[in-house]
């Protein structure tokens, strides 16, 4: 099973919206076939391992990192492939929570007389496929919050300059993470201050879908994030706005090629929970949150950060600069958010502290109340470019996912690496907001 997990890891960054899966076929102690899922729409790990084994797959034991699928998607069911090949035993690390599978794959195997063992290296498999499992269980992408600060806790100089806090090695790691995540998210203040491209500058890298939380549509149409990446792939951009975003600004951004998503968190800002739910419906499994601090606190309040990656650079800036985490903060130490399964390592000259975020009771209760209110109000409205059917424009060129409640059309899978040119209409939908200018929302990143 350890070898199967190693194989599955080779698919990181290329299999979404599918999970990463590895499969090893063995006759006794001898490996006779191997395979891993390499890309969505292509053969699954079990099928590739069976092809590798040939006739030696009959009577073999199959070690699979995730329960074999039992439904017809873009490829046939893996459960049927294993049965047809005549394997004698299937060892599975963990169940697939997808409603189309959820134990059915194992039931099909057992019904065919195949011995099934479940739970081998289950913890490791769950960590490995955390993005897929989180999305299927919670209905939102798995979120990693990445931030960086100096040793004295600063994220910029007194003049607002932040390039570069960390060293070359840390920045290269972040580029790799962008390739591995489906979405990269920032607040509009980051766009206005730094004008980032948000591309994945790695060899054969995949630039993620770009998401900007921008309450009143202040993102400039000439922002660098709209530019194609180094491979000429057109940027895929979504702007999440609040209810007061002026229609004229929205129309300009839509004309530039962005998809506009409007929701309300009750404070005039886009709802984190509704935006993440829409992303999940569009096929996104993972999101890299790159700031800033106020937006990160909003994610934390929504119980929507799964893992923290905190770089600390050996530099001292002094002054009273901003913190990597903003918001109201907590009143007592008992209310603090804490990290579990913490790891500390050096990346070049920097330190990287990583851990899974553990939420205190007050966050859990507040997030549940917010989610309940959001469900009452209905899901967010999409205001993307209108296509021939009058619905919201596809986020990316890939098979459509089920429509989110309240949306006008099913968004396409967000994890595709290419997208069609927008066909935008020239008028903004009425529900986007008034045509008068609106001030920035106080404290917005």
């Amino acid at each position: 099973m350890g070898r199967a997990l190693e194989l599955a890891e080779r698919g990181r960054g290329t299999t979404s919206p599918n999970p990463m899966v590895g499969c090893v076929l063995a006759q006794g102690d001898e490996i006779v076939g191997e395979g891993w899922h390499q890309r969505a729409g292509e053969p699954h790990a079990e099928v590739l391992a069976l092809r590798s084994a040939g006739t030696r797959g009959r009577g073999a034991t199959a070690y699979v990192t995730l329960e074999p699928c039992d439904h017809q998607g873009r490829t046939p069911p893996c459960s049927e492939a294993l049965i047809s090949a005549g394997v004698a035993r299937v060892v599975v690390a963990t169940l697939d929570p997808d409603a189309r599978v959820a134990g059915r794959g194992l039931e099909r195997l057992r019904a065919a007389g195949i011995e099934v063992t479940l739970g081998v290296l289950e913890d490791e498999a769950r960590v490995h496929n955390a993005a897929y499992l989180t999305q299927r269980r919670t209905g939102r992408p798995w979120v990693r919050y990445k931030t960086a600060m100096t040793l004295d806790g600063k994220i910029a100089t007194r003049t607002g300059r932040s390039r570069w806090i960390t060293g070359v090695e840390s920045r290269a790691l972040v580029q790799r993470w962008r390739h591995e995540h489906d979405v990269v998210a920032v607040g509009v203040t980051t766009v206005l201050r730094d004008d980032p491209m948000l591309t994945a500058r790695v060899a054969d890298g995949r630039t993620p879908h770009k998401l900007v939380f921008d309450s009143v549509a202040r993102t400039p149409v000439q922002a660098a994030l709209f530019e194609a990446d180094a491979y000429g792939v057109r940027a895929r951009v979504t702007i999440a706005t609040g209810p007061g975003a002026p229609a004229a600004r929205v129309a300009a951004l839509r004309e530039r090629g962005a998809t506009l998503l409007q929701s309300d968190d009750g404070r005039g800002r886009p709802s984190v929970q509704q935006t993440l739910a829409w992303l999940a419906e569009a096929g996104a499994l993972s999101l890299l949150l790159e700031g800033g601090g106020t937006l990160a606190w909003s994610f934390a309040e929504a119980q929507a950060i799964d893992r923290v990656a905190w770089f600390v650079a050996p530099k001292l800036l002094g002054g009273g600069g901003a913190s990597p985490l903003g918001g109201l903060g907590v009143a007592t130490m008992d209310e603090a958010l804490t990290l579990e399964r913490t790891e500390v390592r050096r990346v070049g000259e920097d330190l990287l502290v990583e851990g899974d975020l553990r939420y205190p009771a007050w966050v859990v209760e507040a997030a549940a109340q917010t989610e309940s209110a959001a469900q009452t109000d209905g899901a967010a409205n999409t205001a993307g470019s209108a296509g021939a059917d009058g619905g919201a424009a596809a986020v990316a060129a890939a098979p459509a996912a089920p429509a989110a409640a309240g949306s006008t059309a099913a968004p396409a899978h967000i994890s595709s690496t290419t997208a069609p040119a927008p066909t935008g209409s020239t008028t903004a939908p009425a529900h986007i907001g008034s045509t008068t200018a609106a001030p920035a929302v106080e404290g917005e990143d």
Side-chain angles (χ1 to χ4, degrees):
M1 187 63 75
R3 174 58 179 168
L5 284 168
E6 290 177 3
L7 293 169
E9 180 63 25
R10 298 181 184 182
R12 188 174 295 278
T14 62
T15 63
S16 183
N18 292 347
M20 297 175 289
V21 183
C23 179
V24 171
L25 289 172
Q27 292 277 6
D29 294 332
E30 180 186 2
I31 293 178
V32 298
E34 294 184 339
W36 71 94
H37 185 41
Q38 300 175 18
R39 195 173 300 275
E42 296 183 4
H44 289 187
E46 298 92 324
V47 173
L48 293 174
L50 289 169
R51 289 179 185 174
S52 172
T55 58
R56 301 195 70 187
R58 183 165 296 278
T61 296
Y63 296 85
V64 191
T65 59
L66 187 69
E67 176 185 6
C69 65
D70 191 50
H71 62 281
Q72 176 70 49
R74 282 188 272 182
T75 60
C78 291
S79 56
E80 292 184 1
L82 292 166
I83 294 169
S84 298
V87 299
R89 181 183 178 217
V90 176
V91 180
V92 176
T94 189
L95 289 173
D96 186 343
D98 189 297
R100 298 168 298 177
V101 189
R104 292 181 180 87
L106 301 191
E107 291 175 5
R108 175 73 65 90
L109 295 172
R110 290 189 178 108
I114 296 175
E115 180 185 350
V116 174
T117 301
L118 175 65
V120 176
L121 296 185
E122 183 168 18
D123 290 343
E124 291 85 344
R126 286 183 173 277
V127 170
H128 169 76
N129 248 334
Y132 174 79
L133 297 175
T134 297
Q135 196 251 29
R136 288 300 191 268
R137 286 197 307 264
T138 68
R140 65 162 176 81
W142 181 85
V143 175
R144 183 201 304 264
Y145 173 47
K146 184 279 300 180
T147 190
M149 69 179 190
T150 60
L151 195 58
D152 57 343
K154 304 300 189 300
I155 61 173
T157 68
R158 62 183 174 84
T159 60
R161 301 180 183 222
S162 59
R163 295 183 179 177
W164 297 104
I165 290 177
T166 55
V168 173
E169 295 86 352
S170 296
R171 299 200 300 274
L173 178 57
V174 172
Q175 296 297 321
R176 170 58 54 179
W177 283 345
R178 286 181 182 174
H179 160 73
E180 294 174 353
H181 288 71
D182 294 328
V183 181
V184 58
V186 296
V188 66
T189 300
T190 298
V191 174
L192 296 173
R193 182 188 64 217
D194 298 336
D195 196 22
M197 290 191 70
L198 301 178
T199 53
R201 295 182 287 278
V202 296
D204 299 321
R206 173 193 66 153
T207 290
H209 191 97
K210 304 169 188 181
L211 171 66
V212 180
F213 282 82
D214 183 358
S215 298
V216 291
R218 291 189 292 154
T219 299
V221 294
Q222 68 271 23
L225 58 85
F226 286 107
E227 301 302 322
D229 65 16
Y231 300 99
V233 177
R234 189 176 68 82
R236 298 163 295 142
V237 180
T238 290
I239 311 293
T241 69
R249 296 185 191 176
V250 167
L253 289 168
R254 187 174 59 252
E255 184 69 21
R256 185 67 174 89
T259 294
L260 276 293
L261 179 69
Q262 185 225 341
S263 59
D264 188 1
D265 70 349
R267 296 172 291 184
R269 302 176 183 175
S271 165
V272 168
Q273 289 171 321
Q274 292 186 29
T275 301
L276 292 180
W278 181 84
L279 291 172
E281 288 286 353
L285 300 185
S286 58
L287 181 146
L288 179 62
L289 175 62
E290 295 200 27
T294 303
L295 178 60
W297 185 256
S298 296
F299 268 69
E301 285 183 316
Q303 205 176 344
I305 296 176
D306 298 288
R307 189 163 181 82
V308 170
W310 204 289
F311 291 93
V312 181
K315 298 176 182 177
L316 301 172
L317 298 182
S323 162
L325 194 60
L328 180 62
V330 301
T332 69
M333 283 295 176
D334 290 339
E335 297 175 340
L337 285 67
T338 57
L339 298 185
E340 296 181 327
R341 293 175 285 279
T342 305
E343 302 174 4
V344 181
R345 59 180 165 128
R346 285 187 63 171
V347 182
E349 293 299 314
D350 305 321
L351 288 180
L352 173 58
V353 181
E354 294 184 278
D356 297 331
L357 199 56
R358 180 178 180 274
Y359 293 94
W362 72 267
V363 175
V364 177
E365 293 169 1
Q369 292 173 1
T370 302
E371 183 176 5
S372 176
Q375 291 175 348
T376 300
D377 293 338
N381 294 310
T382 55
S385 307
D389 62 354
V395 175
S407 67
T408 55
H413 281 306
I414 208 165
S415 54
S416 171
T417 56
T418 59
T423 59
S425 62
T426 56
T427 57
H431 64 259
I432 285 297
S434 68
T435 57
T436 56
V441 176
E442 182 179 356
E444 182 177 62
D445 286 310

